[in-house]
Each structure stands twice: as structure tokens, then as C-alpha cells.
Amino acid sequence: MNRTSAPVPGLSLRQLHIDTYHEPVASMSAVRAKIYGRPIGGDAAQAIVRDVVDGRYSEIELAALITACSGDRMDVAETIALTRAMVAVGQRLRWNSELVVDKHCVGGLPGNRTTLLVVPIVAACGLTIPKTSSRAITSPAGTADTMETLAPVALDLPTMRRVVEQEGGCIAWGGAVSLSPADDVLIRVERPLGLDSDGLMVASVLSKKIAAGSTHVVIDIPVGRTAKVRSQQAAQALAHRLDAVGAAFDINVSVMLSDGSQPVGRGVGPALEAWDVLAVLQNQAGAPDDLRQRALQLAARVLELGRKAAPGFGMALARSVLDNGAAWRKLQAICEAQGGMRTPPRAAYTHVLTALHQGRLVAIDNRRLAGLAKLAGAPKSPAAGLVLHAPLDTMLSAGQPLLTLHAESPGELAYALAYAESQDSIFSIQEA
């Protein structure tokens, strides 16, 4: 039963964004208890997740749940309980292979589109890798956004199964297959809140890996001052939680800590990141070597974890598959199986930003750089974003290009340019 709320003097209901109150949801009592410091147990997690999936939580209640679990407010036991509840309410895939591999990056680093390289390398070697990826939450592009500039990603379960059985792997949008539907609801609310939580992150990542039928997972944690994970201590704590939750579900989790001090590749934005991937796969001269090397390291770890290469020999196998074109042919085959390969779009409007003075580039603010790409229109405008011209330690002269903004409209370009001109800490240049 709904009952109309009483108006507050001087404010309309529309101004308050509250039209009706609904009957309290029983599981909200566990959320309120969590706000005051009481852990969420297994039964409470099951009830909360079921109510979230059934649409019983209002946006305000979802925000309260996410806030209550943000930061370091969830312990490992709570994370396991939440992961189990999230798996229970979704669909779960089973594969003929006893060994199913996957990889994931916790994010926070512009560019870094290694999945589109790792999946075809690994699949070309004969392993099964059913990769489901998210759209952007707080970044200028998620893996699904970038892949969508190359092929359809909104696959239903029968299509996903067909692609994987045919090609050994896929790169699909997780939101279309309902493997962890509670996570899709929470992500929608997390996006505007911009809150980070190890507990929610681990439950999100591993619930989807478990639901996808993965048995062995490599997880990349970039560490840097302006990355999502900012210190070695925080990275080790996250790695411990991933290991512990993975063990609770009999998943072999292998964590890699990587450099998060600067973007990976040159493009930031869906199509621009796709062009980087194509350059690496096609072994083009001038392809971003940092993206290539990071993808090879991750692919090597997956191949060794999946027992396709002996310890220490994964890199040689991964490199040979990339160098001889097998990975490129495999990505084309995956794209065709997912609905047909596309050419990524190009932006109609660009503007070059240059260094104001000479010196050495000593720091890049990943968060502000990502914000700049978003203001240019990414990821909503697939061709929008930026191309980085100067990596760390570049010796710059006055007027040397730092980046090129890409936008699909002059208004978005002007908006991003105004932001860039108001910032003096995106690039830190130490005068010579």
C-alpha cells in the first residue's frame, strides 16, 4: 500500500524528488544495522540481494546499501556471503571443459584495454575463455564499450554459448546475460555515487566469474597514486580478499600487481582504445608497446594457469601467437560469430593541447585525464575521448603536443577544452 507523503512548507514534492513512500522492505533492517556497524550475515545477504533483483529497493535504499558497504566496511566473511547471494539469484553457465579461464582488471587506469588482446591470444591457444565485461562505471570506456565499436556485445546466453563453443572465447556485455543481475543494479547506482569498496568490487568480479563457469582467473591490479588502487598495501589487501573469496568457491585466483602510474596505450575512449588494440593485433609499426607488453604478460599468466604453457614459458607462447597473426585472426572470428565485425568510428572534431613550457613530464593524473575524456563525450559518444602523445619521462619542449581531444560535436569539444584549460595538474612538467 502506498501513502502520499506530506508536503514540506516551501518545497514541492517534485523539488524533493519524493512522490510516495512504500512499505518498508524487511531486508532493509539488515542494511540499517550495517550502517551502525553490524556485519551482514549469510541469510541477510540472500534476502538483500533477492529484494534488489526483484526491484523492491528504491534508489535511495540502494544508495544506502552501497554507502553502508563502501570503503573498508565489509570483511571477508561478508564478501563471501554477498558473492554467494549474487551467484544464487542469477543464471550459471556450465561448459564441457573442466578448465575454464578468465581475466579481469580492477580498473582505474585510462586505456588499458588488454582484454581484447588476451582473449584472442588465449582462445587461439585452445583454452576456453568466456569473457563477460562491464560498461563504463566511472571511466571513459569499459571493455564492453570498446568491444562494441568492433562487434555486437549484447549477446543472450544461447548466442554466447554458441560463440564460445565455436571460437573458444567471447567478449560480451555481462549486463545482457544476467549472470549476476544484482550487480547490474548496484553498478547503475554506484556510477553516480562514485564510491569504491573492496567488498563490493570483489563480490562483483567473482560472482560474475563463478556464474560464467570460470575455474581459473587472472586478476590485474594496477597500483598508482591516481589509480583506483593507490598503494602497495591497499593492493595486497585487495589481493588477499580476492584469494580468500576465490578459495571459498574453489576458484584458482592469480593476482598480478602492475604499474598504475599512467595510462596504457594512447587512446582513451571506446573507439580510440579499439584502434590501439587493432594496431597491436595487426603488428603495425608504431603500435603502443606498453599495451602490447601488458597484454602479453597477462596472457602468459593465463596460459600458464590454464596449463597450456609450463611455468616460465607462457610469454614465448603468447608472443608467438600475437606475432604470427593467429590472435588477430581469432579476434576477427570472434567478432564475426558475435554478429559481424565493424570499423570503429572516428570523431569529427579534434583539438591538440600542447606543453606550456619545456621540461620533463614527471606525473600524469589518471583521474583528471579520464575526466577530460568523459567531458569530451566518452563513452556515450563512442568516437570521443583523447589520444595521449607524451608518456611519463618525455622531455618536452614548449608547444610540443601532449594530447589530442576527440569529440563528436563542437559543443562537447569546447566543454572539454574549457576544463583542460582550467586544470594545471593533469600533467606535471618539471622544468629543465
Side-chain angles (χ1 to χ4, degrees):
M1 183 179 78
N2 291 335
R3 55 185 185 274
T4 304
S5 59
V8 176
L11 290 177
S12 69
L13 294 178
R14 183 174 298 277
Q15 287 172 308
L16 284 172
H17 300 281
I18 299 172
D19 295 322
T20 59
Y21 291 114
H22 59 74
E23 292 294 332
V25 180
S27 64
M28 265 303 293
S29 62
V31 176
R32 285 191 292 272
K34 178 62 181 171
I35 291 171
Y36 288 100
R38 182 176 177 181
I40 296 175
D43 291 342
Q46 294 284 347
I48 289 169
V49 170
R50 172 49 63 191
D51 285 339
V52 167
V53 171
D54 288 346
R56 296 193 180 102
Y57 274 38
S58 68
E59 298 290 299
I60 292 174
E61 289 166 333
L62 288 169
L65 169 61
I66 290 165
T67 303
C69 297
S70 64
D72 59 357
R73 294 183 178 90
M74 292 184 71
D75 62 22
V76 171
E78 289 176 288
T79 306
I80 291 171
L82 183 60
T83 304
R84 182 169 285 110
M86 291 170 73
V87 172
V89 298
Q91 302 189 67
R92 193 165 179 178
L93 294 173
R94 310 285 185 192
W95 304 99
N96 293 329
S97 174
E98 292 183 2
L99 198 154
V100 179
V101 298
D102 208 338
K103 63 81 62 178
H104 181 81
C105 176
V106 302
L109 203 57
N112 203 23
R113 205 49 62 210
T114 55
T115 290
L116 276 69
L117 296 164
V118 173
V119 169
I121 290 171
V122 169
C125 291
L127 286 173
T128 300
I129 180 164
K131 183 74 176 80
T132 61
S133 300
S134 62
R135 297 192 184 277
I137 300 175
T138 58
S139 70
T143 297
D145 300 310
T146 298
M147 182 63 178
E148 197 168 40
T149 70
L150 294 169
V153 295
L155 311 182
D156 57 22
L157 281 176
T159 302
M160 181 179 168
R161 182 174 291 280
R162 174 183 58 78
V163 173
V164 174
E165 290 176 349
Q166 177 181 321
E167 299 299 338
C170 69
I171 305 171
W173 173 44
V177 289
S178 297
L179 294 180
S180 182
D183 186 52
D184 299 324
V185 176
L186 296 177
I187 283 175
R188 190 191 74 237
V189 179
E190 282 178 314
R191 184 179 290 113
L193 289 175
L195 291 174
D196 287 330
S197 164
D198 280 6
L200 288 177
M201 182 196 305
V202 170
S204 169
V205 171
L206 291 185
S207 67
K208 288 185 174 180
K209 302 310 178 191
I210 295 162
S214 301
T215 61
H216 295 67
V217 181
V218 172
I219 297 181
D220 177 25
I221 303 179
V223 184
R225 185 176 57 84
T226 58
K228 181 179 289 185
V229 181
R230 301 185 188 184
S231 69
Q232 289 291 323
Q233 182 180 4
Q236 293 294 347
L238 179 57
H240 170 73
R241 190 184 297 249
L242 285 161
D243 286 338
V245 177
F249 294 91
D250 294 323
I251 292 183
N252 189 324
V253 175
S254 178
V255 175
M256 290 181 61
L257 305 188
S258 59
D259 178 19
S261 61
Q262 63 179 325
V264 178
R266 290 191 286 269
V268 179
L272 295 170
E273 294 173 19
W275 286 114
D276 276 355
V277 167
L278 293 177
V280 173
L281 283 169
Q282 295 168 7
N283 295 300
Q284 295 177 14
D289 190 59
D290 60 338
L291 177 62
R292 172 188 166 90
Q293 296 305 323
R294 189 176 292 238
L296 285 172
Q297 290 169 2
L298 287 164
R301 180 71 69 90
V302 174
L303 291 170
E304 292 176 14
L305 195 65
R307 300 196 288 273
K308 277 293 178 179
F313 290 88
M315 177 61 78
L317 177 57
R319 186 180 290 114
S320 69
V321 169
L322 184 58
D323 289 346
N324 67 23
W328 169 225
R329 292 189 293 274
K330 177 57 70 174
L331 182 72
Q332 293 177 83
I334 289 172
C335 288
E336 290 300 328
Q338 289 189 195
M341 192 160 191
R342 304 163 173 165
T343 300
R346 297 282 195 184
Y349 301 91
T350 62
H351 186 93
V352 179
L353 297 178
T354 60
L356 297 178
H357 56 82
Q358 69 175 14
R360 185 169 66 92
L361 182 58
V362 295
I364 299 174
D365 191 315
N366 289 306
R367 293 172 184 264
R368 286 188 169 87
L369 195 74
L372 179 61
K374 289 163 66 177
L375 290 173
K380 185 177 180 181
S381 300
L386 59 87
V387 174
L388 189 67
H389 301 305
L392 286 178
D393 292 325
T394 300
M395 290 302 299
L396 298 164
S397 55
Q400 185 171 335
L402 293 170
L403 62 82
T404 300
L405 284 170
H406 289 242
E408 294 186 12
S409 73
E412 287 174 317
L413 183 64
Y415 195 29
L417 185 58
Y419 173 78
E421 291 175 344
S422 72
Q423 301 294 312
D424 59 5
S425 59
I426 296 178
F427 297 94
S428 299
I429 302 172
Q430 189 176 74
E431 294 193 48

